[in-house]
């Protein structure tokens, strides 16, 4: 038994939806970036984290907790959060499982990696929204993206291009900060890196709202 996706989404609607979803959680985003800015920009001795190893671990683990929290916030605002349990371990394992093929694809002429991002863009939202395991979430994302792979790939590409172009401005600011010896340029660089997964999270939620089983028309096909 399989599902045939009947709903269609275009690039404009996906992108507009991504920024609309993020605008709905402005307060949560402000908290997200303030916390990570504090952890990155202030010396660890000021915030009592001890060694750099400990602070790096806090940042690493905190990233996944914060990402999960943002997905929950978007789903809750949309009235689509059906299970409020925290599946952080599965969320973390999913990231590890998906990053390997995506990284390989991005290194093979870029396009294969962008296609995989598009096919799996909804997986985190599926995992957070309802009680399911990571394999189910990955599979449902792949199925829901059917007939919309081109639009999703183009939308993901635009998101990455926007982030990449804005990175040039960030790099200039980082260079200025280094010259003025205001803050460490490396810290600003890592803070900017956190913007990309947030933008992709917005696209994930946008695609989920438009294409998931909850909102899409699906026809069961019995083989």
């Amino acid at each position: 038994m399989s599902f045939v996706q009947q709903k269609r989404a275009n690039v404009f609607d996906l992108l507009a939806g991504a920024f609309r979803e993020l605008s709905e959680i402005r307060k949560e985003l402000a908290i997200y970036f303030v916390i990570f800015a504090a952890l990155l920009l202030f010396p660890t001795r000021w915030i009592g984290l001890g060694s750099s190893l400990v602070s790096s671990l806090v940042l690493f683990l905190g990233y996944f907790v914060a990402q999960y929290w943002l997905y929950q916030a978007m789903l809750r605002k949309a009235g689509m959060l059906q299970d409020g349990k925290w599946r952080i371990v599965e969320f973390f394992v999913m990231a590890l499982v998906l990053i390997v093929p995506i990284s390989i694809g991005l290194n093979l002429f870029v396009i294969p990696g962008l296609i995989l991002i598009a096919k799996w863009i909804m997986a985190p939202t599926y995992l957070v929204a309802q009680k399911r395991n990571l394999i189910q979430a990955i599979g449902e994302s792949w199925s829901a993206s059917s007939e919309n792979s081109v639009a999703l790939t183009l939308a993901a590409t635009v998101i990455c291009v926007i982030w990449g172009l804005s990175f040039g401005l960030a790099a200039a600011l980082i260079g200025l900060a280094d010259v003025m010896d205001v803050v460490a340029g490396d810290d600003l660089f890592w803070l900017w890196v956190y913007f990309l997964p947030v933008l992709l999270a917005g696209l994930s939620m946008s695609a989920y709202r438009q294409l998931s089983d909850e909102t899409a028309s699906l026809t069961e096909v019995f083989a």
Side-chain angles (χ1 to χ4, degrees):
M1 183 176 66
S2 60
F3 292 98
V4 176
Q5 175 64 273
Q6 298 296 311
K7 187 83 171 189
R8 299 293 181 270
N10 61 57
V11 177
F12 177 80
D13 288 341
L14 288 167
L15 291 172
F19 289 103
R20 183 170 57 250
E21 299 294 349
L22 293 175
S23 71
E24 290 292 324
I25 57 165
R26 294 184 295 273
K27 182 176 72 174
E28 289 84 354
L29 285 175
I31 295 171
Y32 175 91
F33 284 112
V34 165
I35 290 175
F36 279 107
L39 291 173
L40 285 165
L41 301 179
F42 289 97
T44 56
R45 62 178 180 276
W46 292 5
I47 51 179
L49 291 179
S51 69
S52 59
L53 178 61
V54 174
S55 60
S56 296
L57 182 61
V58 169
L59 283 169
F60 181 72
L61 297 178
Y63 164 78
F64 291 99
V65 173
Q67 279 285 305
Y68 199 101
W69 177 61
L70 290 181
Y71 278 101
Q72 278 191 329
M74 287 188 288
L75 286 161
R76 189 175 289 109
K77 289 280 186 180
M80 300 176 74
L81 182 63
Q82 298 183 21
D83 184 6
K85 286 188 177 181
W86 284 68
R87 289 175 286 279
I88 294 295
V89 174
E90 289 190 80
F91 192 76
F92 172 72
V93 174
M94 174 187 284
L96 297 182
V97 169
L98 298 185
I99 196 63
V100 174
I102 288 174
S103 297
I104 293 173
L106 289 173
N107 283 292
L108 294 175
F109 309 109
V110 180
I111 294 177
L114 291 171
I115 293 174
L116 289 177
I117 290 174
K119 297 297 291 183
W120 289 325
I121 190 69
M122 290 176 276
T125 311
Y126 269 109
L127 182 67
V128 176
Q130 301 180 32
K131 185 178 181 179
R132 52 168 57 85
N133 60 49
L134 65 94
I135 300 300
Q136 291 172 322
I138 292 171
E140 290 183 47
S141 177
W142 189 280
S143 298
S145 65
S146 297
E147 306 301 327
N148 291 279
S149 297
V150 173
L152 286 166
T153 300
L154 291 174
T157 301
V158 171
I159 290 287
C160 292
V161 168
I162 290 173
W163 179 83
L165 291 176
S166 61
F167 181 79
L169 175 60
L173 294 175
I174 288 170
L176 179 62
D178 274 338
V179 170
M180 297 178 65
D181 198 26
V182 177
V183 292
D186 287 346
D187 292 336
L188 281 176
F189 167 80
W190 284 111
L191 179 60
W192 193 254
V193 167
Y194 282 94
F195 277 87
L196 181 57
V198 168
L199 293 174
L200 291 175
L203 180 59
S204 177
M205 181 62 201
S206 174
Y208 180 81
R209 184 193 284 268
Q210 296 178 51
L211 300 173
S212 73
D213 294 356
E214 287 190 8
T215 55
S217 172
L218 296 168
T219 303
E220 280 193 328
V221 177
F222 294 88

